[in-house]
Amino acid sequence: MVYEAVKEGMILRVRLTPNSSSCNKGGIYEVADGKAYVKISVVSIPEKGKANQELIKYLSKALKVAKSQIEIIGGETDRCKKLKINGDSEELCRRTENWLKEVK
């Protein structure tokens, strides 16, 4: 599972690919320890937080939440990131599940 509900919202794990030809999501990426990440590509380069900003903008639209509700809580300079999305955890998990069903 690439996300988990927490008291204040949801934690989402993302594997970010910057400097891509388009901004989109791919499949699910699993690391050796068994954790799963949703793959997302962005056009921006990984310089001065541009790729992270584009990731937050993309997730904001995909999950229909304000950009201010999304914060990177782990992996700010890594490909594998942990994001906290503040809000109603049940609603966020439902939206995320629907969004993930669209993953190729």
Side-chain angles (χ1 to χ4, degrees), residues 17-61:
T17 303
N19 207 20
S20 181
S21 59
S22 64
C23 186
N24 57 41
K25 68 180 179 304
I28 304 297
Y29 173 79
E30 243 180 78
V31 291
D33 66 2
K35 288 188 179 172
Y37 294 78
V38 62
K39 292 192 267 184
I40 298 178
S41 300
V42 294
V43 178
S44 298
I45 57 173
E47 185 179 279
K48 297 180 184 173
K50 290 179 185 176
N52 288 342
Q53 290 171 357
E54 187 175 354
L55 171 64
I56 289 171
K57 183 178 177 182
Y58 175 78
L59 288 173
S60 171
K61 285 183 181 180

Side-chain angles (χ1 to χ4, degrees), residues 5 12 15 23-25 34 42 44 46-48 56-58 65 68 75 77 80-81 87-88 92 95-97 99 103:
L12 178 67
R15 183 171 193 277
C23 186
N24 57 41
K25 68 180 179 304
V42 294
S44 298
E47 185 179 279
K48 297 180 184 173
I56 289 171
K57 183 178 177 182
Y58 175 78
V65 297
S68 60
T77 59
C80 293
K81 300 180 183 300
D88 177 20
L92 288 170
R95 288 181 193 173
T96 303
E97 192 60 41
W99 175 67
V103 173

